[in-house]
Amino acid sequence: MTEHDLEIQTSGVALEGNLLMPEAPAGIVVFAHGSGSSRFSLRNRRVARHLAEQGLATLLFDLLTAEESLIDERTRALRFDIPLIGSRMSGAVAWVAEAPQTRGLGIGLFGASTGAAAALIAAAEQPARVQAVVSRGGRPDLAGEALARVRAPTLLLVGGDDTQVIQLNEQAMARMCCPRELLIVPGATHLFEEPGTLERVEAHAARWFLDRLGPAG
């Protein structure tokens, strides 16, 4: 397995990323982190490492530039700009589809918290490229009208003790037309910090992506 630091050109900006490439990957999963986080999210990095060990390439990248992150630390405004992060995620999908090192791989998206909305917006905008979506403790409801346009099979993982987010995921599911599944992880709160809960996320995400990602096009 090789690891590369890289720069993604998307939506007119350069975003820092980290690519994990196993030998002969079965597909690639692009991660969208939650509000106030970055490509260094410990939970997303752990899930990405597990997926890479299962034979999937993974891309973690910052949804904001370094300058935007500084502004966001003060204002907390950009992290909730769903159209902005959705367009960045869609741009990352286009980059993966065209970059020499990842071109030809089936694409899956993994979104955490608000990043789930960004992933679903990207899936709606690029139905021919995105083959599967997984949301962890996500806010799919924030994807708004894009929900009805998602075609990729979508797995919504929510902690059993995260009651408000369960309701929001149920409401979002009702607006979606794609194959979809809501899976409750018992004993987990929003961040899946309880022992064994993130391992459940890893196992469910790996199964979902490995069953659905094939060569692009």
Side-chain angles (χ1 to χ4, degrees):
M1 186 188 309
T2 58
E3 188 167 352
H4 311 274
D5 291 325
L6 44 79
E7 198 172 70
I8 300 169
Q9 299 290 332
T10 170
S11 303
V13 297
L15 302 171
E16 299 296 320
N18 180 262
L19 178 69
L20 271 178
M21 286 286 288
E23 287 190 34
I28 183 167
V29 178
V30 184
F31 281 70
H33 57 75
S35 58
S37 190
S38 72
R39 71 185 188 280
F40 297 116
S41 160
L42 292 178
R43 278 173 285 276
N44 277 0
R45 288 179 73 85
R46 219 182 99 178
V47 175
R49 174 66 60 174
H50 178 80
L51 295 181
E53 290 169 352
Q54 304 304 308
L56 291 162
T58 61
L59 174 64
L60 294 101
F61 74 104
D62 292 334
L63 290 165
L64 302 177
T65 66
E67 295 79 9
E68 288 169 341
S69 293
L70 290 174
I71 295 169
D72 187 61
E73 285 176 14
R74 294 196 306 269
T75 66
R76 303 174 69 86
L78 295 176
R79 67 185 65 183
F80 296 112
D81 188 337
I82 303 302
L84 173 67
I85 64 175
S87 71
R88 299 275 170 89
M89 190 66 174
S90 188
V93 169
W95 184 91
V96 164
E98 296 163 6
Q101 61 267 54
T102 53
R103 186 170 52 226
L105 295 177
I107 299 172
L109 306 182
F110 184 101
S113 189
T114 52
L120 289 164
I121 289 170
E125 291 181 350
Q126 304 205 53
R129 285 173 165 164
V130 178
Q131 297 179 1
V133 178
V134 173
S135 161
R136 171 182 65 80
R139 291 292 309 277
D141 53 297
L142 295 177
E145 58 82 25
L147 288 171
R149 295 188 286 111
V150 175
R151 295 293 172 262
T154 298
L155 175 64
L156 304 171
L157 294 167
V158 185
D161 294 340
D162 197 8
T163 52
Q164 182 180 7
V165 173
I166 290 174
Q167 293 175 355
L168 293 171
N169 274 254
E170 290 172 341
Q171 292 165 10
M173 275 189 70
R175 301 175 63 187
M176 299 172 74
C177 304
C178 61
R180 57 209 182 277
E181 181 179 334
L182 174 62
L183 202 153
I184 308 297
V185 178
T189 53
H190 186 60
L191 295 179
F192 293 84
E193 295 173 307
E194 295 73 23
T197 57
L198 198 59
E199 287 85 348
R200 297 280 298 276
V201 169
E202 293 169 352
H204 289 307
R207 172 186 58 81
W208 195 262
F209 288 128
L210 288 169
D211 286 350
R212 289 162 179 81
L213 296 189

